[in-house]
Amino acid sequence: MTNFLTLTRMRIQLTLRNKMFLFFSVIMPFGFFFLYAGVFAKGIPIVVRYLLGPVMALTVMGSFWGLSAALVMFREQGILRRFHVTPVTASDMLASSIVANFVLTMPTILIEVCFARFIFQVTHFGNLGTAFILIALGTMSFASLGLVVASVTNTMQETQVINQLIWLPLIFLSGATVPLVDLPHMVQRVGLFLPATYLVTELQDAIYWSAKPWNRDVLIALGSMVLWAGLTFFLSAQLFRWEPESKIPRRAKLLVAATAIPFVLLGVWENHSSRTISKAKAMSESLNAPSRPNERTK
């Protein structure tokens, strides 16, 4: 345990020196926060509270970009090679990366809550316990996605391309930037296959409607993220490389598709039930009755 804590501390120190991480985990989240709260919500507390879920989701999702880029950079610079000569396994390195990512992401989330409270006068944040659980598991899940990207890409340029291809659908089809109910019907249906959609919707449910941790939809989202995180972590551990000269066979990259199974199954079920879309629509419509934000539309 002492070795793991030391490794995690070193990972935090190395990550703090990475400019890309600071951009995606600090500068970009605060930029989104003030854009949403100051421009889109026009500083209205109840609307800020409604948009706080998507803002937090963007903060959580952005962490995968910085983590994957940092690991690839460490491999290219030979830093991972130095760790390899110590009694550190690939699983140790990847697990410490996830813990370090969580430790570095949480202060940003807490500052966003403080900004909402003291700058935009949001006095109620729903069920922060549920929100914290979603954020914690979401951070670990998307960090594991970053580990997979770092494991299957060979260069920083390739990593940036893959990250961009993943990032754009996550933010534009999930309700994180454009509310899910405002997207075209077909796009909504596609969005139900993305993990980001459930993170955004359930964070809104927790903060805006005070959903409890044992709420059915929250439990389904949490279970899917746990399974997804387990699959992506296992795959990244199998494909992890210490040396920049090491390459993986192209066919191994096809295994990444298998990590999408939990959300493929959930997306099929949600397309049949439309529960998530109905919930997003009900929350959006409830903004017209700001005195009753905690009442669920039947």
Side-chain angles (χ1 to χ4, degrees), residues 171-194:
I171 65 173
F172 287 116
L173 306 183
S174 65
T177 51
V178 179
L180 190 64
V181 295
D182 293 336
L183 294 172
H185 178 74
M186 184 58 67
V187 177
Q188 292 178 5
R189 297 298 175 180
V190 173
L192 292 176
F193 290 95
L194 299 176

Side-chain angles (χ1 to χ4, degrees), residues 89-111:
T89 66
S91 295
D92 292 334
M93 173 59 68
L94 297 176
S96 68
S97 297
I98 291 177
V99 174
N101 187 69
F102 174 77
V103 171
L104 293 169
T105 300
M106 285 309 299
T108 303
I109 295 290
L110 293 175
I111 292 173

Side-chain angles (χ1 to χ4, degrees), residues 125-136 203 206-207 211-213 218 222:
F125 292 93
N127 193 315
L128 283 178
T130 304
F132 174 79
I133 296 172
L134 286 163
I135 290 167
L203 276 174
I207 297 171
K212 302 295 190 295
V218 173
L222 292 175

Side-chain angles (χ1 to χ4, degrees), residues 106-280:
M106 285 309 299
T108 303
I109 295 290
L110 293 175
I111 292 173
E112 287 173 346
V113 172
C114 291
F115 282 166
R117 174 65 183 89
F118 297 107
I119 297 179
F120 296 101
Q121 308 304 313
V122 177
T123 57
H124 183 57
F125 292 93
N127 193 315
L128 283 178
T130 304
F132 174 79
I133 296 172
L134 286 163
I135 290 167
L137 287 178
T139 301
M140 289 186 284
S141 299
F142 281 93
S144 296
L145 173 62
L147 298 180
V148 170
V149 173
S151 297
V152 301
T153 54
N154 297 314
T155 64
M156 181 59 69
Q157 291 77 11
E158 186 179 355
T159 303
Q160 292 174 341
V161 171
I162 297 298
N163 280 343
Q164 190 73 20
L165 292 175
I166 295 173
W167 176 247
L168 292 178
L170 288 179
I171 65 173
F172 287 116
L173 306 183
S174 65
T177 51
V178 179
L180 190 64
V181 295
D182 293 336
L183 294 172
H185 178 74
M186 184 58 67
V187 177
Q188 292 178 5
R189 297 298 175 180
V190 173
L192 292 176
F193 290 95
L194 299 176
T197 302
Y198 303 97
L199 181 62
V200 171
T201 305
E202 297 313 320
L203 276 174
Q204 280 190 307
D205 196 0
I207 297 171
Y208 188 65
W209 267 352
S210 304
K212 302 295 190 295
W214 50 85
N215 176 276
R216 176 186 175 184
D217 294 340
V218 173
L219 288 176
I220 290 174
L222 292 175
S224 299
M225 284 192 287
V226 168
L227 183 56
W228 184 46
L231 289 172
T232 50
F233 183 85
F234 174 78
L235 180 60
S236 61
Q238 301 306 305
L239 300 178
F240 185 74
R241 292 162 294 150
W242 300 92
E243 307 287 342
E245 298 82 10
S246 302
K247 305 295 180 183
I248 62 172
R250 184 171 300 179
R251 63 179 181 275
K253 298 182 181 182
L254 297 177
L255 294 174
V256 176
T259 64
I261 291 175
F263 289 98
V264 170
L265 298 176
L266 183 56
V268 171
W269 183 74
E270 283 288 346
N271 269 283
H272 176 72
S273 67
S274 297
R275 288 177 59 88
T276 295
I277 294 176
S278 297
K279 177 188 291 186

